[in-house]
Amino acid sequence: MEYYLVKWKGWPDSTNTWEPLQNLKCPLLLQQFSNDKHNYLSQVKKGKAITPKDNNKTLKPAIAEYIVKKAKQRIALQRWQDELNRRKNHKGMIFVENTVDLEGPPSDFYYINEYKPAPGISLVNEATFGCSCTDCFFQKCCPAEAGVLLAYNKNQQIKIPPGTPIYECNSRCQCGPDCPNRIVQKGTQYSLCIFRTSNGRGWGVKTLVKIKRMSFVMEY
């Protein structure tokens, strides 16, 4: 009979038990176990795939160790993902993915959702003036008062050249949250994924949906 060593949630390792497959009502965990085992055995070593010799005996220590580490990594990345989404203040979700190695959350990554000025820089948080437009797309709005063009078109895509400052409506403006001149301040509207790259360059960010050209994605 096939048995699995079960680590019970909220209990120490000393209470682990061996359970037959029929006792396990956790299809997702079993699928992850099978996938992790397959991934390890599929790794190429010295030009040949690693294959098990005895399927009916205890897993080799190296395989078991890999599966345990992968499970612990999955838990750590899920906790980090949950923490990122608790701190975000925008519509899009943040996902975390590592299908490359056993690396957990980076220790030198800090997620912020507010401006952090460099030394010697003073930010004025309160706006000095605002518009009184009823339709900011057609009237003399904040950008015109600053002597520049409105940054966006009707599809909320940037239409001004790179390097041109963007003047959005602010808390002193009479327009509401649906104003066409409020894009960056709403944060990213897309779900993004922080993922472990397969080319040795560490962590990167990718989109999970198609994004139209010249659309605002996120600040960095």
Side-chain angles (χ1 to χ4, degrees):
M1 182 180 291
E2 190 174 19
Y3 282 83
Y4 291 82
L5 182 61
V6 177
K7 165 68 171 70
W8 297 98
K9 187 175 181 179
W11 292 82
D13 289 343
S14 59
T15 61
N16 292 356
T17 58
W18 286 96
E19 301 291 338
L21 182 60
Q22 64 191 42
N23 287 0
L24 303 182
K25 311 300 181 184
C26 48
L28 179 58
L29 288 177
L30 287 171
Q31 184 61 52
Q32 289 175 340
F33 178 93
S34 178
N35 291 343
D36 292 342
K37 177 182 174 183
H38 178 267
N39 289 339
Y40 182 88
L41 297 175
S42 298
Q43 292 176 11
V44 178
K45 185 176 182 181
K46 296 181 180 179
K48 294 183 179 180
I50 303 172
T51 56
K53 294 182 179 179
D54 299 311
N55 288 327
N56 297 326
K57 295 184 178 181
T58 303
L59 284 180
K60 292 182 180 298
I63 302 176
E65 182 181 6
Y66 174 84
I67 291 175
V68 171
K69 286 183 177 180
K70 196 66 181 175
K72 290 181 177 180
Q73 177 205 50
R74 190 177 292 111
I75 293 173
L77 293 180
Q78 182 63 51
R79 287 175 176 169
W80 186 43
Q81 177 179 295
D82 293 341
E83 175 63 21
L84 293 175
N85 283 289
R86 277 195 296 268
R87 297 181 62 184
K88 73 179 181 67
N89 55 4
H90 50 73
K91 180 181 178 181
M93 295 293 293
I94 303 173
F95 296 92
V96 178
E97 175 186 285
N98 184 355
T99 59
V100 177
D101 53 30
L102 294 172
E103 190 73 19
S107 59
D108 57 350
F109 182 96
Y110 301 96
Y111 176 80
I112 60 174
N113 53 18
E114 60 184 357
Y115 292 111
K116 296 288 186 181
I121 303 295
S122 177
L123 287 181
V124 179
N125 293 323
E126 186 64 30
T128 55
F129 71 91
C131 70
S132 56
C133 304
T134 55
D135 190 337
C136 294
F137 199 81
F138 294 103
Q139 293 178 265
K140 189 176 182 181
C141 190
C142 300
E145 293 290 346
V148 299
L149 296 174
L150 184 71
Y152 314 107
N153 61 22
K154 291 183 178 180
N155 296 321
Q156 300 184 344
Q157 295 166 295
I158 294 178
K159 65 179 184 180
I160 57 177
T164 307
I166 295 175
Y167 288 84
E168 291 196 350
C169 293
N170 56 71
S171 57
R172 288 183 176 269
C173 296
Q174 299 298 311
C175 56
D178 295 329
C179 169
N181 192 36
R182 296 177 184 269
I183 304 297
V184 171
Q185 62 191 259
K186 292 181 180 179
T188 181
Q189 303 297 296
Y190 308 102
S191 292
L192 304 171
C193 180
I194 301 174
F195 72 105
R196 187 74 171 171
T197 62
S198 59
N199 56 10
R201 295 186 178 184
W203 295 89
V205 179
K206 64 182 178 181
T207 175
L208 300 177
V209 296
K210 292 183 178 180
I211 300 177
K212 292 183 179 179
R213 182 175 179 272
M214 302 307 295
S215 297
F216 169 72
V217 180
M218 65 184 300
E219 296 172 286
Y220 71 94

